[in-house]
Amino acid sequence: GPQVADRAMTYDDVMMKTGVLFAILLAGAVVGWFVPVLALPAMLIGLVLGLVNAFKKEPNKALIISYAVFEGVFLGGISAIFESMYSGIVVQAVLATLSVFAIMLALFKFKGVRYGSKMMKFMVIAVGGYAIFSIVNLVFGLAFGTGGVRSMEIFGIPLGIVIGLVATVLAAMTLIMDFQMIEEGVKHKIPEKYSWMCAFSLMVTLIWLYIEILRLISYFRD
């Protein structure tokens, strides 16, 4: 009946959808791992789908699942490329990502870390600014065949390491925003369909965190 369609979102809903999305992501990653040449087109398609999903008022399950597929292919491809340059790096990056996730969840759950409206505003601006920088840097890098700003140095310190550390901290802090969004959603009994949006948001943050950690480890391994 209509009650079922309009039921309130639960934590289980979000966990189930997140599990489904990560299973799809991993399936895509297997394809990308064996066919790394697909990484760049998959990344560009994933970027477009990610933006479309982020600006949609209503969550679209098909678009979110498509995002997981393409991002998976991209992650698998880029992981294979990094692994061929730095043996063992993928396992290190996965373990580091899971550790950061566990730490942030513990801070949220047991230490009661929450963001007020000022902190939320700061995070939105910081993450938005970093996203714009990354896209501009990517376009610059593709156009000129360089690593862009990340390959430069300041006072003998590679900028890549500085930017990478800032971005990793920012991605970790974004997890708190995701947890808070889920908690608020459950508290305010928002419709179940929004569990797809929460799972999508969590996935985007974890993908970002993994890529930053992968990149960071590679700088330290050089």
Side-chain angles (χ1 to χ4, degrees):
Q3 293 86 7
V4 179
D6 296 332
R7 74 176 178 80
M9 177 181 96
T10 64
Y11 288 116
D12 280 353
D13 291 326
V14 180
M15 276 157 67
M16 284 287 296
K17 308 289 194 293
T18 306
V20 167
L21 290 179
F22 272 94
I24 293 165
L25 185 83
L26 284 173
V30 172
V31 175
W33 180 268
F34 291 110
V35 196
V37 69
L38 294 174
L40 188 63
M43 179 191 73
L44 297 173
I45 296 168
L47 192 65
V48 172
L49 285 170
L51 288 169
V52 170
N53 279 319
F55 288 108
K56 272 187 103 53
K57 293 247 184 318
E58 298 275 312
N60 183 318
K61 195 163 95 179
L63 279 178
I64 290 172
I65 288 173
S66 308
Y67 172 83
V69 172
F70 285 105
E71 280 297 310
V73 174
F74 161 59
L75 283 188
I78 202 160
S79 297
I81 293 163
F82 271 87
E83 186 67 31
S84 66
M85 291 154 67
Y86 314 94
S87 157
I89 192 170
V90 169
V91 172
Q92 288 175 329
V94 169
L95 289 175
T97 304
L98 292 174
S99 304
V100 170
F101 179 79
I103 290 165
M104 298 318 275
L105 187 58
L107 285 175
F108 184 82
K109 211 167 155 39
F110 304 113
K111 287 275 178 252
V113 174
R114 298 291 184 279
Y115 295 156
S117 56
K118 276 200 179 118
M119 186 62 190
M120 280 286 191
K121 262 191 204 128
F122 164 78
M123 286 297 294
V124 169
I125 292 166
V127 173
Y130 180 72
I132 292 166
F133 158 76
S134 290
I135 293 169
V136 170
N137 197 51
L138 174 76
V139 171
F140 180 84
L142 290 175
F144 298 102
T146 67
V149 178
R150 289 179 195 277
S151 49
M152 300 174 189
E153 286 196 1
I154 275 193
F155 307 123
I157 303 167
L159 255 177
I161 288 183
V162 179
I163 295 167
L165 284 170
V166 169
T168 303
V169 169
L170 208 50
M173 287 172 69
T174 303
L175 283 171
I176 299 276
M177 282 175 76
D178 292 328
F179 299 150
Q180 207 167 327
M181 175 172 84
I182 295 163
E183 183 185 63
E184 294 280 313
V186 171
K187 201 158 62 181
H188 293 120
K189 299 187 164 48
I190 63 170
E192 184 271 333
K193 64 180 175 186
Y194 288 102
S195 56
W196 279 107
M197 213 55 185
C198 292
F200 166 73
S201 196
L202 205 49
M203 182 172 63
V204 171
T205 307
L206 282 167
I207 289 170
W208 174 29
L209 184 64
Y210 170 76
I211 291 169
E212 293 300 344
I213 288 175
L214 193 62
R215 212 186 251 146
L216 250 190
I217 298 172
S218 76
Y219 287 129
F220 286 113
R221 291 267 298 255
D222 269 335

